Amino acid sequence: MRTLMIVDGANVVGSVPDGWWRDRRGAAERLRDRLVGFAAEGIPGRPGPIELVLVVEGSAKGVESVPGVRVESAPGSGDDRIVELAAGREAGRACVVVTADRELRRRLDEYGAECVGPRTVRSPGERT
């Protein structure tokens, strides 16, 4: 069974002060495009292929899915949608959530999801 990796789009985009706030949707689309390689290759400790879900909210809603990355537009809170996805996965399936949000990490503990920071999906040359 492939690992489910859920990316907290708002948190990962917001982890680098690169002007994302001027175009939140465009920033989410750029993140989505960078994630494609991780879907195929995996991340350290979790070889690919993995099922990758990018959760977006607010003005980033409506970003389209691409092969390898399913985009979920949260109807309300992105954190709530991430918890729903982690809680609803098949029994025994590994789940990794990419976020630096401490409260979200605390909520995910209850569901046995592993949490990793945004650097996990950042390119080596990207500012952090």
Side-chain angles (χ1 to χ4, degrees):
M1 202 174 323
R2 293 188 307 166
T3 296
L4 172 62
M5 186 165 95
I6 306 167
V7 178
D8 180 351
N11 187 268
V12 173
V13 164
S15 70
V16 176
D18 61 2
W20 58 264
W21 51 89
R22 290 188 290 272
D23 180 13
R24 292 171 194 254
R25 184 183 175 110
E29 289 170 339
R30 288 188 297 278
L31 173 59
R32 175 205 58 201
D33 294 346
R34 281 196 318 270
L35 293 172
V36 171
F38 292 102
E41 302 296 323
I43 59 173
R46 301 284 181 180
I50 58 177
E51 181 181 352
L52 206 149
V53 180
L54 171 63
V55 175
V56 296
E57 61 187 306
S59 59
K61 283 184 184 177
V63 169
E64 297 290 326
S65 296
V66 296
V69 180
R70 184 174 92 229
V71 179
E72 291 262 342
S73 291
S77 160
D79 290 1
D80 290 347
R81 184 65 185 133
I82 291 166
V83 171
E84 288 171 6
L85 290 168
R89 73 185 189 276
E90 298 92 1
R93 184 175 191 194
C95 178
V96 176
V97 177
V98 182
T99 187
D101 183 316
R102 288 186 185 129
E103 176 59 20
L104 177 57
R105 285 174 174 240
R106 186 198 59 73
R107 291 176 65 192
L108 289 164
D109 279 346
E110 179 179 339
Y111 301 102
E114 175 187 351
C115 293
V116 296
R119 288 184 181 187
T120 305
V121 295
R122 290 282 180 198
S123 302
E126 262 182 294
R127 295 181 314 187
T128 56

